Amino acid sequence: LSVPGLTETWTTSFTENLYHIEGYKSVLKSRDTSTYGGGVGLFVLESLPYLIREDLSPSDNCAEAVFIELTNDNVIVGCIYRPPGHDINLFTAYVDSLLTTINKEHKTAFIAGDFNIDFLKSDVHQPTADYTNCIFSHCFFPVINRPTRISETSATLIDNILTNAFRLQLSSAIVFLHTFLPMFSMC
């Protein structure tokens, strides 16, 4: 599979067409134009047939998500962004419903995202423990088990890839992209 996912794209409906990766089709979901930030996206190899799965996105504002189903492989791929500060309990209820639907369909799934819930705090923060227990109770497992954000004073594991494909050998990576805006001077 080759379906990179992006969170915090900062795209709008006016800028979505500016994002291209050669050989891939983009499936982007932007915030409405009244707010900035957020946004999620998937890039799908042009050779892979897929369907967009709008039914798997949250019905409330607990997160932003985009999902597709790779039709030849019966695999669901998604990307989720839960903005910091949004209610973890509402998000956990959404994830519970999402994973229930995927399991009822007997599909393999890969869900990447910036969940802004620190897996490393499962033993000291009850909402995090509830979220982690929800994932495990549906036989989904996090692929990343080391901190994804490290500073001089802290380390957190808030970005992850969740999957129920535990029989596959998986490897994960976090890619950092830096965008440099040209500097303009006015005379």
Side-chain angles (χ1 to χ4, degrees):
L1 294 178
S2 185
V3 183
L6 300 173
T7 61
E8 298 186 76
T9 62
W10 286 58
T11 56
T12 67
S13 58
F14 303 111
T15 62
E16 286 178 354
N17 60 344
L18 301 176
Y19 288 79
H20 300 284
I21 298 177
E22 189 173 327
Y24 289 81
K25 296 177 189 174
S26 63
V27 182
L28 300 169
K29 188 168 188 180
S30 302
R31 282 189 182 166
D32 64 38
T33 56
S34 65
T35 61
Y36 66 92
V40 290
L42 296 170
F43 288 85
V44 187
L45 274 174
E46 288 179 349
S47 62
L48 294 175
Y50 67 92
L51 299 171
I52 296 174
R53 293 289 306 264
E54 286 288 337
D55 62 307
L56 299 177
S57 292
S59 58
D60 57 18
N61 290 330
C62 69
E64 299 169 43
V66 62
F67 284 89
I68 63 166
E69 182 173 338
L70 301 174
T71 54
N72 286 352
D73 299 315
N74 233 10
V75 171
I76 293 173
V77 179
C79 187
I80 298 175
Y81 174 62
R82 187 190 76 84
H86 279 60
D87 190 314
I88 294 176
N89 295 321
L90 289 176
F91 181 72
T92 299
Y94 159 65
V95 170
D96 184 50
S97 174
L98 169 69
L99 301 183
T100 296
T101 299
I102 291 170
N103 283 337
K104 280 182 182 176
E105 294 180 11
H106 304 287
K107 306 274 170 100
T108 299
F110 298 91
I111 305 167
D114 180 353
F115 303 104
N116 282 304
I117 300 173
D118 188 0
F119 273 98
L120 302 177
K121 293 201 166 84
S122 291
D123 58 341
V124 296
H125 186 248
Q126 191 59 49
T128 300
D130 294 342
Y131 169 71
T132 304
N133 289 335
C134 171
I135 291 167
F136 289 142
S137 73
H138 288 283
C139 296
F140 274 73
F141 301 93
V143 173
I144 302 169
N145 59 13
R146 301 276 190 266
T148 56
R149 190 169 291 168
I150 300 171
S151 73
E152 289 182 21
T153 59
S154 69
T156 59
L157 176 48
I158 62 174
D159 308 293
N160 220 308
I161 301 167
L162 309 175
T163 186
N164 58 357
F166 50 89
R167 292 188 182 124
L168 300 176
Q169 183 177 1
L170 304 172
S171 61
S172 61
I174 297 174
V175 178
F176 295 93
L177 301 174
H178 295 279
T179 304
F180 297 98
L181 299 175
M183 298 295 289
F184 295 98
S185 62
M186 298 183 71
C187 300

